[in-house]
């Protein structure tokens, strides 16, 4: 799957800035792929890029309309369908990270077939996969892991890719979740594959390569999160990472959505991931820690990072506040 | 899902005894549910139970025709369809553990709808599931785990269920794979669910209970098998077992289908499972080891079990040769 680029970012009529997270992520990491935004009302959240009509975006070369919003149920509102259908008629492909599938709307499927365009439901995965084998593959791989879900693994992965390329280490981001897939235009939502194929999906996402230096694979969930650890372990085995970067949010009170589950310690998370990773790559090593320190002041965050660097003998940083160059420095020696 | 019982075991025209493994398993563990067998030719493997026509089985009360065979691709041969269709017309439900779905044959679906019967594709799972939570549930649970796939986890689980009930410990087998589901008439193929729902499936398979003593949950794969470890970890977390029984095959040269992967040691497997299980049940403990010793003589097997009992300070047995009473003895104190 390769979603044709560039994009027109569709924001529908969402007014909650958090609901536009996906579109914001795409714009932040791939501004060159975003021709503009399409909003259905003046009150709709704006990303601060040009408002374009479908026709204007088409003239600027946009190939795919990306549904860049999220809502609680993951439903595509009926009020958006006319716009989506018109986009298809004008030659756009549509890509969506919503739970409800574009292909579940017969009118959209019919229009896409009639006009030779594609509908990309990136949260789902229906294509055949092979079972993972754990066979060593060519190329070096870095995987982000975490103490929990939503602790900054995608952000960290994209920040690492950017900094590595800046330092002349040719790297490619490999997406494993819906926003990441929309950012990169390809990838597999590993949590959406049939359970038997988790590690096989990871192997397919980052196959043998010799044309660049590193694949940076977006992690999912946590080995210590009882809801999703199976996904995390399959992804870890299939990624066969040479390097792991551990992500953590400062101040998180408990595992996301599970008040009865403590967030695991850094030490426990680090060891669990390193031990499990060595099944398919005996050299796998945690090379740094990325923190989301947004709950504390910047000065305190800097002190904390320095303290933790002493404690864990690893580079520790907040990618948003302090960048990831200290971690990338470590990669030159791997 | 509850597959109506008793069964008529359908063997088609398979001549390789190994291909009839599923039917043999059902007959071995639930002989009282098997009215007889239906074979399409004289050369077909026999289970040593009465050959019955569809009509004869119906008269004996059989409610479901079970496709009790396996083949390489998991396909249902065209030559069986007439028999399956006739069965439906006579009022049978059909249950199958094959990869190819019964519901992929329009003629069978149509007939089942017309006659008000069900088609059970137990290797697949399409019903809605909830994400696992790791919340403690009522009741005690035992899970079988292993050094690899196909080391006797289902056999051990069913042997434990039988011996526990014999010793007055009221226990229920919980199936997580296709043969187990056909044996018990219910369950979920955990390796067939969407990856996000592995632990949720395990929680659904063995919910809160107070009406018996133990659930004995059939394990799948191995935490140390790079193809399927994600399934095993999700199942481990979702099962929140109080007791674990480790299964292993003596003489296995390498991980199944993966000549480049060593079979992990008992010690490593034991620790990996115990540590991971304690995320959702801090009391989780390995209470015994079940070996498949079929590659060595019975005398040697007995000596080996005794040596390993010293080495691991746990009951060690071959369930086929020596039963599982020494392990069940340990359960009285949990």
């Amino acid at each position: 799957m390769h979603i044709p680029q560039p994009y027109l970012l569709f924001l529908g009529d969402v007014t909650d800035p958090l609901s536009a997270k996906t579109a914001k992520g795409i714009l932040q990491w791939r501004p060159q792929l975003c021709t503009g935004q399409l909003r259905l009302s003046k009150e709709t959240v704006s990303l601060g890029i040009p408002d374009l009509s479908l026709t204007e975006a088409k003239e600027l070369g946009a190939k795919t309309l990306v549904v860049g919003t999220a809502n609680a149920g993951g439903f595509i509102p009926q009020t958006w369908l006319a716009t989506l259908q018109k986009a298809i008629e004008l030659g756009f492909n549509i890509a969506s990270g919503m739970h409800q599938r574009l292909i579940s709307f017969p009118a959209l499927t019919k229009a896409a077939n009639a006009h030779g365009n594609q509908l990309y439901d990136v949260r789902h995965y229906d294509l055949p996969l092979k079972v993972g084998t754990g066979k060593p593959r060519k190329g070096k791989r870095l995987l982000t892991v975490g103490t929990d879900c939503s602790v900054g693994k995608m952000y960290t992965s994209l920040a690492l890719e950017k900094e590595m390329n800046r330092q002349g280490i040719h790297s490619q981001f490999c997406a494993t979740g819906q926003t990441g897939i929309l950012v990169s235009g390809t990838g597999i939502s590993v949590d959406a594959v049939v359970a038997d194929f988790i590690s096989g999906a990871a192997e397919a996402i980052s196959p043998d390569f010799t044309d660049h230096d590193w694949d940076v694979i977006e992690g999912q969930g946590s080995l210590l999160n009882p809801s999703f650890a199976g996904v995390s372990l399959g992804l870890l085995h299939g990624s066969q990472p040479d390097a792991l970067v551990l992500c953590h949010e400062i101040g998180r009170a408990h595992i996301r959505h599970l008040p009865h589950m403590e967030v695991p310690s850094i030490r426990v998370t680090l060891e669990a991931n390193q031990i499990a990773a060595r099944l398919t790559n005996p050299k796998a090593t945690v090379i740094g820690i990325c923190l989301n320190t947004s709950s504390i002041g910047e000065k305190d965050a800097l002190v904390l990072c320095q303290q933790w660097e002493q404690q864990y003998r690893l580079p520790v940083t907040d990618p948003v506040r302090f960048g990831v160059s200290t971690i990338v420095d470590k990669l030159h020696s791997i």
Side-chain angles (χ1 to χ4, degrees), chain A residues 234-252:
Chain A
L235 180 54
L236 187 61
H237 285 162
S239 299
Q240 52 181 239
D242 302 280
L244 295 160
V245 172
L246 197 160
C247 303
H248 175 70
E249 183 185 320
I250 296 297
R252 178 164 300 198

Side-chain angles (χ1 to χ4, degrees), chain A residues 219-239:
Chain A
Q220 293 292 336
S222 161
L223 287 187
L224 288 315
N225 178 317
S227 307
F228 308 118
V231 172
S232 307
L233 183 59
L235 180 54
L236 187 61
H237 285 162
S239 299

Side-chain angles (χ1 to χ4, degrees), chain A residues 22-329:
Chain A
T22 302
K24 277 186 190 164
I26 300 169
L27 181 63
Q28 170 168 20
W29 295 107
R30 298 290 189 266
Q32 73 281 13
L33 297 181
C34 303
T35 58
Q37 65 185 0
L38 175 56
R39 304 185 301 152
L40 292 181
S41 73
K42 269 191 217 160
E43 293 72 32
T44 302
V45 171
S46 172
L47 304 172
I49 56 173
D51 284 305
L52 299 179
S53 70
L54 288 169
T55 318
E56 287 166 342
K58 197 73 205 155
E59 279 165 11
L60 288 171
K63 292 190 175 137
T64 301
L65 183 75
V66 174
V67 180
T69 61
N71 58 28
F75 288 104
I76 298 169
Q78 288 285 334
T79 49
W80 297 2
L81 292 180
T83 308
L84 299 182
Q85 179 141 1
K86 195 177 158 204
I88 296 168
E89 287 163 7
L90 286 170
F92 282 89
N93 306 287
I94 315 271
S96 160
M98 308 287 264
H99 263 296
Q100 189 176 26
R101 297 180 187 224
L102 295 167
I103 58 167
S104 72
F105 296 97
L108 298 185
T109 310
K110 200 176 155 194
N113 287 339
H115 293 82
N117 301 321
Q118 299 294 317
L119 303 177
Y120 298 97
D121 286 303
V122 302
R123 196 184 280 264
H124 302 275
Y125 196 81
D126 303 316
L127 299 173
L129 281 167
K130 289 183 183 162
V131 162
T133 67
K135 279 186 196 151
R137 309 196 291 288
K138 284 177 192 145
K140 287 178 191 156
R141 289 171 185 82
L142 183 152
L143 173 71
T144 49
V145 296
T147 50
D148 194 2
C149 300
S150 307
V151 290
K153 289 185 287 284
M154 186 190 77
Y155 189 100
T156 297
S157 304
L158 284 159
L160 285 165
E161 181 203 35
K162 192 172 177 182
E163 178 63 19
M164 286 160 84
N165 284 320
R166 203 191 62 80
Q167 291 196 22
I169 302 174
H170 187 188
S171 88
Q172 271 182 20
F173 170 74
C174 299
T176 62
Q178 64 270 14
T179 302
I181 294 170
L182 293 171
V183 167
S184 77
T186 188
I188 299 174
S189 275
V190 285
D191 57 11
V193 306
V194 167
D196 244 0
F197 298 100
I198 306 169
S199 63
E203 294 182 1
I205 289 165
S206 173
D208 263 321
F209 66 87
T210 53
D211 63 339
H212 57 288
D213 300 316
W214 284 83
D215 269 356
V216 180
I217 304 168
E218 178 192 8
Q220 293 292 336
S222 161
L223 287 187
L224 288 315
N225 178 317
S227 307
F228 308 118
V231 172
S232 307
L233 183 59
L235 180 54
L236 187 61
H237 285 162
S239 299
Q240 52 181 239
D242 302 280
L244 295 160
V245 172
L246 197 160
C247 303
H248 175 70
E249 183 185 320
I250 296 297
R252 178 164 300 198
H254 55 73
I255 288 286
R256 193 161 188 239
H257 301 313
L258 302 178
H260 59 291
M261 294 294 304
E262 273 181 39
V263 177
S265 74
I266 294 289
R267 185 65 70 196
V268 162
T269 310
L270 199 147
E271 280 171 9
N273 278 280
Q274 212 157 258
I275 290 170
R278 287 181 181 167
L279 183 72
T280 55
N281 187 340
K283 291 179 302 178
T285 311
V286 175
I287 60 149
I289 299 173
C290 282
L291 302 176
N292 173 347
T293 64
S294 58
S295 62
I296 59 175
E298 183 155 334
K299 237 184 201 168
D300 290 343
L302 194 60
V303 171
L304 184 83
C305 287
Q306 287 164 347
Q307 283 173 344
W308 284 30
E309 291 207 337
Q310 297 297 315
Q311 192 174 342
Y312 299 107
R313 300 178 178 277
L314 289 170
V316 179
T317 183
D318 180 329
V320 176
R321 285 176 159 167
F322 313 124
V324 291
S325 63
T326 53
I327 294 176
V328 172
D329 290 344

